[in-house]
């Protein structure tokens, strides 16, 4: 049997095979529609009885390359790309749950995800029940007959929490619901959640996959492993679909039923489509994912150690450090034993941390992560400034907390910049 290609090779080559021109990169197909061969061909396309292109809201050849590459990187059977990470989440939940259903989710989530879950979905009658991922029993207590998924992140930011994927997968499988993992902060280079039982993997491709802070994009990867028919909880996938002449997704699309449903239903009807140009740039970014991740993590480890030894630093929290509370799972599940995000506190609290942000010159002060450039943020004076002291404390964001998304510059230049801003 042919050995499967390694992740580095998949990242470099993607799934692109040369076209008739021999071009070494996939073309950017800036076309919103595609010519039908004849009326019968058009009818077959609309009935989903043949595969092909109709309209770019649903499908685009450039974006398809990205989707196939993402599926290969994560070890899934199919993927759907979309405009943003937020839409990837929306499309996933909207395809799994309807009014009256619920999702049980970790309470350690990206801020935008938390807002979408806590405020937006409730308006549609989908309840997101939050639980502490440190205690898996808390998740189980919230699961009932209307629960349609369990939702976690591979590295929660800014807390650095790494779940025991196997335990969450076992819980999801016991209750016959899919485990959904947002793998944005770890990327498939550090962990492939599908290998530990995740059923659906989500990315904000905006971050490490694209990698250069230039574009927005989202991806949902279908592992192909969830048994929708045996679950009995997803009639929209396992019984005739009225909008497609009674087609049954699990019978027609087999293991890729969920990805197919997202594309021809959520994407068709709601339309959070990605531009083919952005798909191309994300594909370009993925070509160096393995090299960047290696350097991101190496630099994060070095910066964490540098900060630990700095006299003006109060504390450092990085899951790649041996004495860190999140190290056990980071070491067990992440290839390189940590991601590229860390937090620390400046001695002197809120004011000193704010001053630090104002004094760095190499590091960027922006609200983003996963860029090749080092980024620093001070949540208490920016993203979390509306919260009271008490709310800050309960969200784990202290007034002195600085979050760093460590870039791939020379580490000595990063530490020199931090040293100057900390006042040596
Ligand atoms: C940024 C981010 C998102 C949202 O993605 P966008 O592309 O900004 O819409 C979702 N999850 C995580 C973990 C993120 O970091």
């Amino acid at each position: 049997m042919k050995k499967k290609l390694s992740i580095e090779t998949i990242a470099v080559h993607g799934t692109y095979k040369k076209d008739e021109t021999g071009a070494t990169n996939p073309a950017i197909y800036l076309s919103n529609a595609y010519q039908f061969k004849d009326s019968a061909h058009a009818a077959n396309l609309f009935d989903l009885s043949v595969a092909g292109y109709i309209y770019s809201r649903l499908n685009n050849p450039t974006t398809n390359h990205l989707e196939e590459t993402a599926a290969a990187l994560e070890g899934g059977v199919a993927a759907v790309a979309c405009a943003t990470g937020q839409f990837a989440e929306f499309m996933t939940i909207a395809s799994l749950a309807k009014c009256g259903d619920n999702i049980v989710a970790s309470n350690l989530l990206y801020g935008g995800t938390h807002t979408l879950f806590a405020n937006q979905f409730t308006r549609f009658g989908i309840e997101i029940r939050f639980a502490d991922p440190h205690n898996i029993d808390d998740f189980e207590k919230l699961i009932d007959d209307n629960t349609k998924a369990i939702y976690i992140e591979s590295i929660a930011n800014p807390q650095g929490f790494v779940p025991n994927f196997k335990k969450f997968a076992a819980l999801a499988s016991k209750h016959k619901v899919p485990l959904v993992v947002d793998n944005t902060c770890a990327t498939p280079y550090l962990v492939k959640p599908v290998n530990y039982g995740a059923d659906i993997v989500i990315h904000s491709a905006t971050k490490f996959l694209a990698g250069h802070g230039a574009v927005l994009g989202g991806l949902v990867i279908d592992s192909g492993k969830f048994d929708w028919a045996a679950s009995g909880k997803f009639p929209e996938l396992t019984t005739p679909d009225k909008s497609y002449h009674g087609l049954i997704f699990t019978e027609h699309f087999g293991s890729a039923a969920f990805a197919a449903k997202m594309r021809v239903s959520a994407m068709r009807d709601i339309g959070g489509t990605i531009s083919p140009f952005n798909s191309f740039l994300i594909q370009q970014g993925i070509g160096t994912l393995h090299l960047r991740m290696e350097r991101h993590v190496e630099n994060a480890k070095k910066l964490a150690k540098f900060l630990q030894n700095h006299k003006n630093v109060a504390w450092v929290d990085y899951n790649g450090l041996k004495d860190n509370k999140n190290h056990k799972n980071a070491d067990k599940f992440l290839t390189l034993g940590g991601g590229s995000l860390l937090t620390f506190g400046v001695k002197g609290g809120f004011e000193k941390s704010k001053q630090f942000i104002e004094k760095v010159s190499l590091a960027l002060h922006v609200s983003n992560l996963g860029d090749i450039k080092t980024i620093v943020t001070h949540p208490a004076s920016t993203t979390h400034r509306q919260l009271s002291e008490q709310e800050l404390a309960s969200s784990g964001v202290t007034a002195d907390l600085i979050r760093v998304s460590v870039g791939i510059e020379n580490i000595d230049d990063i530490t020199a910049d931090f040293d100057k801003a900390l006042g040596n």
Side-chain angles (χ1 to χ4, degrees):
M1 205 176 88
K2 190 170 170 287
K3 187 182 164 291
K4 274 199 193 151
L5 292 176
S6 307
I7 188 160
E8 293 87 347
T9 312
I10 299 170
V12 170
H13 288 272
T15 53
Y16 175 67
K17 303 277 182 293
K18 73 175 187 315
D19 63 16
E20 64 278 10
T21 67
T24 58
N25 280 311
I28 303 174
Y29 284 96
L30 287 172
S31 181
N32 55 12
Y34 305 85
Q35 296 184 61
F36 304 122
K37 290 176 192 146
D38 51 36
S39 311
H41 178 228
N44 286 334
L45 284 168
F46 278 98
D47 285 350
L48 304 180
S49 55
V50 295
Y53 300 100
I54 298 176
Y55 189 63
S56 279
R57 178 163 9 94
L58 287 157
N59 233 358
N60 172 280
T62 314
T63 299
N64 281 174
H65 285 303
L66 170 65
E67 292 166 336
E68 285 166 11
T69 302
L73 285 173
E74 287 284 9
V77 291
V80 181
C82 57
T84 64
Q86 288 292 115
F87 192 79
E89 294 164 7
F90 182 82
M91 173 168 73
T92 303
I93 306 287
S95 301
L96 291 170
K98 61 182 185 315
C99 182
D101 289 340
N102 68 75
I103 305 288
V104 181
S106 163
N107 63 12
L108 300 183
L109 292 174
Y110 168 72
T113 307
H114 192 275
T115 309
L116 168 66
F117 283 9
N119 303 329
Q120 200 63 255
F121 275 119
T122 47
R123 296 179 56 245
F124 298 102
I126 297 171
E127 184 195 352
I128 314 285
R129 302 177 172 174
F130 295 101
D132 179 358
H134 291 90
N135 188 356
I136 194 143
D137 293 340
D138 285 1
F139 274 71
E140 185 151 32
K141 280 185 212 137
L142 298 177
I143 297 175
D144 63 20
D145 288 347
N146 294 328
T147 300
K148 294 298 165 74
I150 293 178
Y151 191 102
I152 55 173
E153 288 184 0
S154 55
I155 304 178
N157 127 53
Q159 298 88 355
F161 174 79
V162 178
N164 184 321
F165 295 93
K166 287 188 194 166
K167 287 191 180 163
F168 280 94
L171 180 69
S173 148
K174 178 176 164 195
H175 292 275
K176 295 190 163 65
V177 294
L179 174 65
V180 183
V181 179
D182 180 336
N183 197 26
T184 300
C185 292
T187 83
Y189 189 65
L190 299 187
V191 66
K192 287 190 202 176
V194 170
N195 288 350
Y196 297 111
D199 299 295
I200 298 164
V201 176
I202 291 183
H203 277 278
S204 166
T206 310
K207 313 290 169 52
F208 295 99
L209 295 187
H212 297 73
V215 291
L216 293 155
L219 279 158
V220 184
I221 295 105
D222 180 353
S223 74
K225 292 188 176 150
F226 189 76
D227 193 338
W228 305 98
S231 160
K233 287 186 152 202
F234 300 92
E236 288 176 2
L237 286 165
T238 58
T239 58
D241 186 315
K242 272 194 283 203
S243 73
Y244 280 109
H245 305 304
L247 177 138
I248 299 174
F249 278 84
T250 44
E251 288 180 6
H252 194 82
F253 293 102
S255 64
F258 181 70
K261 172 81 182 162
M262 273 190 306
R263 183 184 304 287
V264 303
S265 187
M267 284 304 266
R268 179 195 62 180
D269 300 344
I270 312 170
T273 310
I274 187 169
S275 154
F277 185 66
N278 289 3
S279 294
F280 178 86
L281 289 177
I282 295 167
Q283 181 93 46
Q284 291 273 298
I286 288 174
T288 56
L289 176 70
H290 52 300
L291 295 177
R292 286 184 286 109
M293 289 314 290
E294 243 175 51
R295 185 59 64 86
H296 276 299
V297 175
E298 184 188 318
N299 278 357
K301 266 187 198 152
K302 287 182 179 164
L303 182 65
K305 287 192 178 139
F306 166 83
L307 292 170
Q308 268 188 326
N309 293 323
H310 200 286
K311 66 178 182 355
N312 294 340
V313 169
W315 55 270
V316 180
D317 190 352
Y318 175 57
N319 64 19
L321 293 172
K322 284 208 171 58
D323 56 354
N324 186 269
K325 59 186 182 300
N326 294 309
H327 186 67
K328 197 167 147 252
N329 281 346
D331 200 39
K332 188 166 175 179
F333 293 105
L334 308 182
T335 327
L336 299 171
S340 85
L341 300 167
L342 63 84
T343 56
F344 71 98
V346 183
K347 277 186 190 160
F350 183 89
E351 279 307 320
K352 289 283 179 195
S353 289
K354 213 172 103 190
Q355 279 172 22
F356 167 82
I357 293 277
E358 277 154 11
K359 283 189 190 160
V360 287
S361 51
L362 187 69
L364 305 183
H365 181 203
V366 296
S367 181
N368 190 21
L369 60 91
D371 195 322
I372 50 174
K373 307 167 201 84
T374 295
I375 290 169
V376 293
T377 46
H378 181 217
S381 67
T382 56
T383 51
H384 289 58
R385 62 176 291 113
Q386 281 84 4
L387 304 192
S388 66
E389 288 256 331
Q390 208 181 357
E391 285 172 319
L392 281 176
S394 71
S395 67
V397 177
T398 50
D400 62 349
L401 182 145
I402 305 267
R403 189 191 73 183
V404 190
S405 172
V406 187
I408 62 171
E409 303 93 336
N410 183 297
I411 185 62
D412 295 338
D413 294 332
I414 300 173
T415 52
D417 190 38
F418 276 52
D419 195 32
K420 188 190 71 196
L422 283 164
N424 40 21

PDB file of all heavy atoms in Angstrom, residues 122-146:
ATOM      1  N   THR A 122     -28.909  32.567  20.298  1.00  0.00           N
ATOM      2  CA  THR A 122     -30.098  32.569  21.152  1.00  0.00           C
ATOM      3  C   THR A 122     -31.254  33.281  20.445  1.00  0.00           C
ATOM      4  O   THR A 122     -32.412  32.928  20.638  1.00  0.00           O
ATOM      5  CB  THR A 122     -29.811  33.277  22.498  1.00  0.00           C
ATOM      6  OG1 THR A 122     -29.150  34.503  22.219  1.00  0.00           O
ATOM      7  CG2 THR A 122     -28.943  32.423  23.392  1.00  0.00           C
ATOM      8  N   ARG A 123     -30.952  34.260  19.591  1.00  0.00           N
ATOM      9  CA  ARG A 123     -32.002  34.961  18.834  1.00  0.00           C
ATOM     10  C   ARG A 123     -32.704  34.031  17.855  1.00  0.00           C
ATOM     11  O   ARG A 123     -33.811  34.271  17.420  1.00  0.00           O
ATOM     12  CB  ARG A 123     -31.410  36.157  18.078  1.00  0.00           C
ATOM     13  CG  ARG A 123     -30.849  37.231  18.997  1.00  0.00           C
ATOM     14  CD  ARG A 123     -30.241  38.388  18.218  1.00  0.00           C
ATOM     15  NE  ARG A 123     -31.185  38.984  17.302  1.00  0.00           N
ATOM     16  CZ  ARG A 123     -31.065  38.959  15.984  1.00  0.00           C
ATOM     17  NH1 ARG A 123     -30.017  38.395  15.431  1.00  0.00           N
ATOM     18  NH2 ARG A 123     -31.969  39.513  15.220  1.00  0.00           N
ATOM     19  N   PHE A 124     -32.009  32.935  17.459  1.00  0.00           N
ATOM     20  CA  PHE A 124     -32.605  31.960  16.546  1.00  0.00           C
ATOM     21  C   PHE A 124     -33.153  30.748  17.305  1.00  0.00           C
ATOM     22  O   PHE A 124     -33.493  29.736  16.701  1.00  0.00           O
ATOM     23  CB  PHE A 124     -31.567  31.489  15.521  1.00  0.00           C
ATOM     24  CG  PHE A 124     -31.048  32.584  14.637  1.00  0.00           C
ATOM     25  CD1 PHE A 124     -29.806  33.151  14.858  1.00  0.00           C
ATOM     26  CD2 PHE A 124     -31.817  33.064  13.583  1.00  0.00           C
ATOM     27  CE1 PHE A 124     -29.328  34.175  14.043  1.00  0.00           C
ATOM     28  CE2 PHE A 124     -31.350  34.073  12.766  1.00  0.00           C
ATOM     29  CZ  PHE A 124     -30.109  34.632  12.995  1.00  0.00           C
ATOM     30  N   GLY A 125     -33.164  30.840  18.616  1.00  0.00           N
ATOM     31  CA  GLY A 125     -33.702  29.732  19.411  1.00  0.00           C
ATOM     32  C   GLY A 125     -32.755  28.560  19.574  1.00  0.00           C
ATOM     33  O   GLY A 125     -33.163  27.475  19.968  1.00  0.00           O
ATOM     34  N   ILE A 126     -31.483  28.752  19.263  1.00  0.00           N
ATOM     35  CA  ILE A 126     -30.491  27.696  19.501  1.00  0.00           C
ATOM     36  C   ILE A 126     -29.715  28.092  20.760  1.00  0.00           C
ATOM     37  O   ILE A 126     -29.106  29.165  20.811  1.00  0.00           O
ATOM     38  CB  ILE A 126     -29.526  27.536  18.304  1.00  0.00           C
ATOM     39  CG1 ILE A 126     -30.309  27.099  17.058  1.00  0.00           C
ATOM     40  CG2 ILE A 126     -28.420  26.529  18.632  1.00  0.00           C
ATOM     41  CD1 ILE A 126     -29.497  27.123  15.773  1.00  0.00           C
ATOM     42  N   GLU A 127     -29.784  27.231  21.753  1.00  0.00           N
ATOM     43  CA  GLU A 127     -29.169  27.572  23.036  1.00  0.00           C
ATOM     44  C   GLU A 127     -27.757  26.988  23.092  1.00  0.00           C
ATOM     45  O   GLU A 127     -27.553  25.812  22.787  1.00  0.00           O
ATOM     46  CB  GLU A 127     -30.013  26.969  24.165  1.00  0.00           C
ATOM     47  CG  GLU A 127     -29.531  27.340  25.546  1.00  0.00           C
ATOM     48  CD  GLU A 127     -30.148  26.461  26.637  1.00  0.00           C
ATOM     49  OE1 GLU A 127     -31.060  25.673  26.334  1.00  0.00           O
ATOM     50  OE2 GLU A 127     -29.688  26.561  27.782  1.00  0.00           O
ATOM     51  N   ILE A 128     -26.782  27.822  23.449  1.00  0.00           N
ATOM     52  CA  ILE A 128     -25.437  27.291  23.644  1.00  0.00           C
ATOM     53  C   ILE A 128     -25.215  27.230  25.156  1.00  0.00           C
ATOM     54  O   ILE A 128     -25.296  28.253  25.846  1.00  0.00           O
ATOM     55  CB  ILE A 128     -24.351  28.161  22.963  1.00  0.00           C
ATOM     56  CG1 ILE A 128     -24.749  28.549  21.525  1.00  0.00           C
ATOM     57  CG2 ILE A 128     -23.009  27.439  23.012  1.00  0.00           C
ATOM     58  CD1 ILE A 128     -24.647  27.510  20.467  1.00  0.00           C
ATOM     59  N   ARG A 129     -24.965  26.025  25.657  1.00  0.00           N
ATOM     60  CA  ARG A 129     -24.762  25.829  27.094  1.00  0.00           C
ATOM     61  C   ARG A 129     -23.264  25.755  27.355  1.00  0.00           C
ATOM     62  O   ARG A 129     -22.580  24.899  26.796  1.00  0.00           O
ATOM     63  CB  ARG A 129     -25.434  24.520  27.518  1.00  0.00           C
ATOM     64  CG  ARG A 129     -26.914  24.526  27.203  1.00  0.00           C
ATOM     65  CD  ARG A 129     -27.572  23.214  27.559  1.00  0.00           C
ATOM     66  NE  ARG A 129     -29.016  23.347  27.413  1.00  0.00           N
ATOM     67  CZ  ARG A 129     -29.866  22.354  27.531  1.00  0.00           C
ATOM     68  NH1 ARG A 129     -29.418  21.138  27.819  1.00  0.00           N
ATOM     69  NH2 ARG A 129     -31.160  22.550  27.385  1.00  0.00           N
ATOM     70  N   PHE A 130     -22.785  26.647  28.210  1.00  0.00           N
ATOM     71  CA  PHE A 130     -21.340  26.727  28.453  1.00  0.00           C
ATOM     72  C   PHE A 130     -20.923  25.903  29.662  1.00  0.00           C
ATOM     73  O   PHE A 130     -21.597  25.928  30.693  1.00  0.00           O
ATOM     74  CB  PHE A 130     -20.915  28.180  28.646  1.00  0.00           C
ATOM     75  CG  PHE A 130     -21.092  29.020  27.413  1.00  0.00           C
ATOM     76  CD1 PHE A 130     -22.184  29.870  27.282  1.00  0.00           C
ATOM     77  CD2 PHE A 130     -20.183  28.943  26.362  1.00  0.00           C
ATOM     78  CE1 PHE A 130     -22.364  30.638  26.135  1.00  0.00           C
ATOM     79  CE2 PHE A 130     -20.346  29.707  25.212  1.00  0.00           C
ATOM     80  CZ  PHE A 130     -21.445  30.559  25.099  1.00  0.00           C
ATOM     81  N   ALA A 131     -19.806  25.205  29.518  1.00  0.00           N
ATOM     82  CA  ALA A 131     -19.290  24.393  30.621  1.00  0.00           C
ATOM     83  C   ALA A 131     -17.787  24.595  30.744  1.00  0.00           C
ATOM     84  O   ALA A 131     -17.118  24.989  29.785  1.00  0.00           O
ATOM     85  CB  ALA A 131     -19.600  22.925  30.370  1.00  0.00           C
ATOM     86  N   ASP A 132     -17.268  24.327  31.952  1.00  0.00           N
ATOM     87  CA  ASP A 132     -15.833  24.463  32.206  1.00  0.00           C
ATOM     88  C   ASP A 132     -15.102  23.232  31.655  1.00  0.00           C
ATOM     89  O   ASP A 132     -15.328  22.115  32.112  1.00  0.00           O
ATOM     90  CB  ASP A 132     -15.630  24.563  33.731  1.00  0.00           C
ATOM     91  CG  ASP A 132     -14.156  24.682  34.098  1.00  0.00           C
ATOM     92  OD1 ASP A 132     -13.299  24.651  33.187  1.00  0.00           O
ATOM     93  OD2 ASP A 132     -13.869  24.800  35.307  1.00  0.00           O
ATOM     94  N   PRO A 133     -14.228  23.430  30.646  1.00  0.00           N
ATOM     95  CA  PRO A 133     -13.586  22.263  30.015  1.00  0.00           C
ATOM     96  C   PRO A 133     -12.582  21.545  30.923  1.00  0.00           C
ATOM     97  O   PRO A 133     -12.124  20.456  30.589  1.00  0.00           O
ATOM     98  CB  PRO A 133     -12.892  22.864  28.799  1.00  0.00           C
ATOM     99  CG  PRO A 133     -12.617  24.271  29.181  1.00  0.00           C
ATOM    100  CD  PRO A 133     -13.756  24.697  30.072  1.00  0.00           C
ATOM    101  N   HIS A 134     -12.250  22.142  32.073  1.00  0.00           N
ATOM    102  CA  HIS A 134     -11.374  21.443  33.018  1.00  0.00           C
ATOM    103  C   HIS A 134     -12.091  20.246  33.626  1.00  0.00           C
ATOM    104  O   HIS A 134     -11.466  19.331  34.134  1.00  0.00           O
ATOM    105  CB  HIS A 134     -10.944  22.370  34.169  1.00  0.00           C
ATOM    106  CG  HIS A 134     -10.027  23.458  33.733  1.00  0.00           C
ATOM    107  ND1 HIS A 134     -10.488  24.678  33.305  1.00  0.00           N
ATOM    108  CD2 HIS A 134      -8.674  23.515  33.651  1.00  0.00           C
ATOM    109  CE1 HIS A 134      -9.460  25.443  32.990  1.00  0.00           C
ATOM    110  NE2 HIS A 134      -8.354  24.768  33.178  1.00  0.00           N
ATOM    111  N   ASN A 135     -13.437  20.325  33.604  1.00  0.00           N
ATOM    112  CA  ASN A 135     -14.211  19.290  34.272  1.00  0.00           C
ATOM    113  C   ASN A 135     -15.240  18.707  33.299  1.00  0.00           C
ATOM    114  O   ASN A 135     -16.307  19.266  33.091  1.00  0.00           O
ATOM    115  CB  ASN A 135     -14.904  19.917  35.498  1.00  0.00           C
ATOM    116  CG  ASN A 135     -15.557  18.860  36.341  1.00  0.00           C
ATOM    117  OD1 ASN A 135     -15.565  17.676  35.991  1.00  0.00           O
ATOM    118  ND2 ASN A 135     -16.118  19.275  37.453  1.00  0.00           N
ATOM    119  N   ILE A 136     -14.898  17.565  32.746  1.00  0.00           N
ATOM    120  CA  ILE A 136     -15.735  16.989  31.686  1.00  0.00           C
ATOM    121  C   ILE A 136     -17.130  16.599  32.186  1.00  0.00           C
ATOM    122  O   ILE A 136     -18.095  16.610  31.433  1.00  0.00           O
ATOM    123  CB  ILE A 136     -14.984  15.813  31.009  1.00  0.00           C
ATOM    124  CG1 ILE A 136     -15.667  15.422  29.698  1.00  0.00           C
ATOM    125  CG2 ILE A 136     -14.819  14.638  31.916  1.00  0.00           C
ATOM    126  CD1 ILE A 136     -14.719  15.035  28.622  1.00  0.00           C
ATOM    127  N   ASP A 137     -17.235  16.321  33.485  1.00  0.00           N
ATOM    128  CA  ASP A 137     -18.558  15.984  34.046  1.00  0.00           C
ATOM    129  C   ASP A 137     -19.533  17.149  33.894  1.00  0.00           C
ATOM    130  O   ASP A 137     -20.735  16.957  33.742  1.00  0.00           O
ATOM    131  CB  ASP A 137     -18.450  15.612  35.531  1.00  0.00           C
ATOM    132  CG  ASP A 137     -17.677  14.321  35.704  1.00  0.00           C
ATOM    133  OD1 ASP A 137     -17.570  13.558  34.715  1.00  0.00           O
ATOM    134  OD2 ASP A 137     -17.156  14.075  36.817  1.00  0.00           O
ATOM    135  N   ASP A 138     -18.996  18.379  33.956  1.00  0.00           N
ATOM    136  CA  ASP A 138     -19.853  19.553  33.778  1.00  0.00           C
ATOM    137  C   ASP A 138     -20.503  19.556  32.392  1.00  0.00           C
ATOM    138  O   ASP A 138     -21.612  20.044  32.218  1.00  0.00           O
ATOM    139  CB  ASP A 138     -19.042  20.848  33.942  1.00  0.00           C
ATOM    140  CG  ASP A 138     -18.712  21.124  35.407  1.00  0.00           C
ATOM    141  OD1 ASP A 138     -19.103  20.297  36.256  1.00  0.00           O
ATOM    142  OD2 ASP A 138     -18.065  22.148  35.669  1.00  0.00           O
ATOM    143  N   PHE A 139     -19.768  19.037  31.400  1.00  0.00           N
ATOM    144  CA  PHE A 139     -20.335  18.944  30.045  1.00  0.00           C
ATOM    145  C   PHE A 139     -21.462  17.923  30.025  1.00  0.00           C
ATOM    146  O   PHE A 139     -22.531  18.167  29.491  1.00  0.00           O
ATOM    147  CB  PHE A 139     -19.243  18.505  29.040  1.00  0.00           C
ATOM    148  CG  PHE A 139     -18.431  19.633  28.492  1.00  0.00           C
ATOM    149  CD1 PHE A 139     -17.524  20.310  29.292  1.00  0.00           C
ATOM    150  CD2 PHE A 139     -18.572  20.035  27.171  1.00  0.00           C
ATOM    151  CE1 PHE A 139     -16.773  21.355  28.790  1.00  0.00           C
ATOM    152  CE2 PHE A 139     -17.832  21.076  26.657  1.00  0.00           C
ATOM    153  CZ  PHE A 139     -16.928  21.739  27.468  1.00  0.00           C
ATOM    154  N   GLU A 140     -21.190  16.778  30.615  1.00  0.00           N
ATOM    155  CA  GLU A 140     -22.171  15.688  30.535  1.00  0.00           C
ATOM    156  C   GLU A 140     -23.499  16.084  31.183  1.00  0.00           C
ATOM    157  O   GLU A 140     -24.567  15.766  30.670  1.00  0.00           O
ATOM    158  CB  GLU A 140     -21.612  14.409  31.178  1.00  0.00           C
ATOM    159  CG  GLU A 140     -22.567  13.239  30.984  1.00  0.00           C
ATOM    160  CD  GLU A 140     -21.866  11.888  30.941  1.00  0.00           C
ATOM    161  OE1 GLU A 140     -20.837  11.751  31.623  1.00  0.00           O
ATOM    162  OE2 GLU A 140     -22.363  10.990  30.230  1.00  0.00           O
ATOM    163  N   LYS A 141     -23.413  16.833  32.292  1.00  0.00           N
ATOM    164  CA  LYS A 141     -24.632  17.254  32.998  1.00  0.00           C
ATOM    165  C   LYS A 141     -25.545  18.097  32.109  1.00  0.00           C
ATOM    166  O   LYS A 141     -26.751  18.152  32.315  1.00  0.00           O
ATOM    167  CB  LYS A 141     -24.255  18.095  34.225  1.00  0.00           C
ATOM    168  CG  LYS A 141     -23.832  17.254  35.415  1.00  0.00           C
ATOM    169  CD  LYS A 141     -23.583  18.166  36.624  1.00  0.00           C
ATOM    170  CE  LYS A 141     -22.495  17.590  37.505  1.00  0.00           C
ATOM    171  NZ  LYS A 141     -21.541  18.586  37.984  1.00  0.00           N
ATOM    172  N   LEU A 142     -24.954  18.808  31.135  1.00  0.00           N
ATOM    173  CA  LEU A 142     -25.747  19.724  30.306  1.00  0.00           C
ATOM    174  C   LEU A 142     -26.317  19.071  29.041  1.00  0.00           C
ATOM    175  O   LEU A 142     -27.109  19.663  28.320  1.00  0.00           O
ATOM    176  CB  LEU A 142     -24.879  20.925  29.903  1.00  0.00           C
ATOM    177  CG  LEU A 142     -24.365  21.793  31.065  1.00  0.00           C
ATOM    178  CD1 LEU A 142     -23.458  22.894  30.529  1.00  0.00           C
ATOM    179  CD2 LEU A 142     -25.534  22.404  31.835  1.00  0.00           C
ATOM    180  N   ILE A 143     -25.902  17.828  28.771  1.00  0.00           N
ATOM    181  CA  ILE A 143     -26.345  17.153  27.536  1.00  0.00           C
ATOM    182  C   ILE A 143     -27.752  16.581  27.728  1.00  0.00           C
ATOM    183  O   ILE A 143     -28.042  15.963  28.752  1.00  0.00           O
ATOM    184  CB  ILE A 143     -25.357  16.022  27.166  1.00  0.00           C
ATOM    185  CG1 ILE A 143     -23.974  16.622  26.867  1.00  0.00           C
ATOM    186  CG2 ILE A 143     -25.877  15.200  25.985  1.00  0.00           C
ATOM    187  CD1 ILE A 143     -22.889  15.602  26.605  1.00  0.00           C
ATOM    188  N   ASP A 144     -28.640  16.836  26.756  1.00  0.00           N
ATOM    189  CA  ASP A 144     -29.971  16.203  26.797  1.00  0.00           C
ATOM    190  C   ASP A 144     -30.344  15.745  25.385  1.00  0.00           C
ATOM    191  O   ASP A 144     -29.505  15.764  24.476  1.00  0.00           O
ATOM    192  CB  ASP A 144     -31.017  17.150  27.407  1.00  0.00           C
ATOM    193  CG  ASP A 144     -31.230  18.405  26.582  1.00  0.00           C
ATOM    194  OD1 ASP A 144     -30.881  18.400  25.373  1.00  0.00           O
ATOM    195  OD2 ASP A 144     -31.741  19.393  27.129  1.00  0.00           O
ATOM    196  N   ASP A 145     -31.611  15.349  25.202  1.00  0.00           N
ATOM    197  CA  ASP A 145     -32.038  14.797  23.904  1.00  0.00           C
ATOM    198  C   ASP A 145     -31.918  15.795  22.765  1.00  0.00           C
ATOM    199  O   ASP A 145     -31.822  15.417  21.602  1.00  0.00           O
ATOM    200  CB  ASP A 145     -33.504  14.333  23.989  1.00  0.00           C
ATOM    201  CG  ASP A 145     -33.626  13.069  24.816  1.00  0.00           C
ATOM    202  OD1 ASP A 145     -32.574  12.441  25.097  1.00  0.00           O
ATOM    203  OD2 ASP A 145     -34.760  12.723  25.202  1.00  0.00           O
ATOM    204  N   ASN A 146     -31.944  17.091  23.098  1.00  0.00           N
ATOM    205  CA  ASN A 146     -31.872  18.102  22.045  1.00  0.00           C
ATOM    206  C   ASN A 146     -30.451  18.620  21.806  1.00  0.00           C
ATOM    207  O   ASN A 146     -30.252  19.569  21.055  1.00  0.00           O
ATOM    208  CB  ASN A 146     -32.794  19.285  22.381  1.00  0.00           C
ATOM    209  CG  ASN A 146     -34.248  18.870  22.369  1.00  0.00           C
ATOM    210  OD1 ASN A 146     -34.630  17.985  21.597  1.00  0.00           O
ATOM    211  ND2 ASN A 146     -35.055  19.459  23.230  1.00  0.00           N
TER     212      ASN A 146
END
